[in-house]
Amino acid sequence: MNASPSQPRPAEWTETQGLLPSVERDLPAGRHQFHKEQMMAQIHEDLRTDRTPTRPALAPRRRNPFLRRAIVLPAAAFALAGAVAAGVALSGGNGGGGRAALATGPALTTQIGAADAKGAPQLLDRISLAAADVSGPTPHAGQFVYIASKVASTYPQTIDNKTTVVSQKLHSRQVWNSLDGKNGWLIEAGETSDKGMTLSSDTPIDSAYNALVKLPTDPDQLLQRIYRDSDAVRDHEVPRDQAAFVAIGDLLTESYPPADLAAALYKAAAKIPGVVAVDDAVDAVGRHGVAIARQNDAAGERTEWIFDKKTLQFLGERNVVVKKVADSPFKVGTVTFTSAITQRAIVDASKQVPGRAG
């Protein structure tokens, strides 16, 4: 993938001038960026152990490659975690010297693409073949996985007991992760300082490259493993099939799965009930493509993996509200999370940008 030379502005994005004041914020129950997972994981650990929240943020200590906050926590828990996380981030408590990227405009919305359940297996088969045909580099010890993207979230915001739905400005994100997942670096506009922040863990991260290469590439065995591990951590409010679909999506975004594993992940996804093909979806930088998606009826949201219509290359993903849910502030057509991968590479050192020395 080619790096974006500047921050594109998607045609669907609307923004207003200025930043909103510090307020209580609820994070959506759908897709959350990895750094917010870190923050919430650290906050919960701090609350349990009465540690001070000013210590450096740590990467979540995952026992398996399929743990994510949308699986572990129900929507109600995100409301509390979101409010606490906002307070810590705005006070600089993340240890990175940055501040949370406050929303600058109204909710991002989109036209909902038509879903086709019958077309999903055929599309996933084509995507799997395309993924298997891509020969990526084989990393060696000491190298890092580098991923650059553009991201934004939409969430409820409460001021003086009045709740509105607002969206962040689309912003850049760069992540470096060591092959074992113990070390890394994050630079995200509005979320960290300009120099970035450390990602670290004293135990290996199972979603890191070294763990991915050990996963089975037989689709049936792989799917069985995904269900087993996501069952161990998901909240009961998250449907089992949805948790498995989300788990696969996590391995396709901020990671660098080998070609044979990527192909197997798509074949495994085809076996999950409720997976559909979508005729048109738009990533965070405005690129139109086809999508593989699954709807979480309880949340009223559809998670979409977006692919180039011609090359079937993975572009990014988004969560779209497709059904009105009681007591939810989100309207149908709201995009609660959007991302676009702009570059994925193996580099020799943390903070090194592809094409430039260290």
Side-chain angles (χ1 to χ4, degrees), residues 156-176:
Q157 176 179 258
T158 301
I159 302 176
D160 296 331
N161 296 321
K162 181 180 179 181
T163 299
T164 56
V165 175
V166 292
S167 292
Q168 294 173 319
K169 181 178 180 179
L170 184 70
H171 57 279
S172 300
R173 176 177 168 85
Q174 293 174 289
V175 177
W176 291 260

Side-chain angles (χ1 to χ4, degrees), residues 112-125:
I112 299 174
D116 177 15
K118 294 182 179 179
Q122 182 181 8
L123 179 56
L124 277 165
D125 186 59

Side-chain angles (χ1 to χ4, degrees), residues 109-279:
T109 60
T110 189
Q111 295 291 323
I112 299 174
D116 177 15
K118 294 182 179 179
Q122 182 181 8
L123 179 56
L124 277 165
D125 186 59
R126 292 172 53 215
I127 292 171
S128 177
L129 290 173
D133 197 39
V134 175
S135 55
T138 301
H140 57 74
Q143 291 188 308
F144 285 73
V145 174
Y146 169 82
I147 296 174
S149 61
K150 305 284 186 178
V151 298
S153 292
T154 299
Y155 50 82
Q157 176 179 258
T158 301
I159 302 176
D160 296 331
N161 296 321
K162 181 180 179 181
T163 299
T164 56
V165 175
V166 292
S167 292
Q168 294 173 319
K169 181 178 180 179
L170 184 70
H171 57 279
S172 300
R173 176 177 168 85
Q174 293 174 289
V175 177
W176 291 260
N177 280 306
S178 61
L179 302 187
D180 62 5
K182 288 187 176 183
N183 301 292
W185 192 257
L186 168 68
I187 300 175
E188 182 163 358
E191 299 283 355
T192 68
S193 68
D194 292 341
K195 293 183 179 179
M197 63 180 285
T198 298
L199 305 176
S200 64
S201 174
D202 56 5
T203 58
I205 303 300
D206 291 340
S207 57
Y209 184 87
N210 286 352
L212 296 181
V213 297
K214 298 177 182 178
L215 292 175
T217 55
D218 175 84
D220 291 315
Q221 294 178 15
L222 180 60
L223 185 59
Q224 184 178 27
R225 169 75 179 271
I226 290 169
Y227 272 116
R228 185 194 73 191
D229 289 348
S230 59
D231 280 347
V233 296
R234 71 181 175 90
D235 184 87
H236 71 279
E237 292 183 17
V238 180
R240 187 170 188 254
D241 293 329
Q242 184 69 15
F245 184 81
V246 167
I248 293 175
D250 284 351
L251 297 185
L252 298 170
T253 50
E254 286 195 348
S255 65
Y256 205 150
D260 57 348
L261 177 62
L265 287 168
Y266 293 126
K267 290 181 179 179
K271 299 175 181 290
I272 298 176
V275 173
V276 300
V278 178
D279 62 350

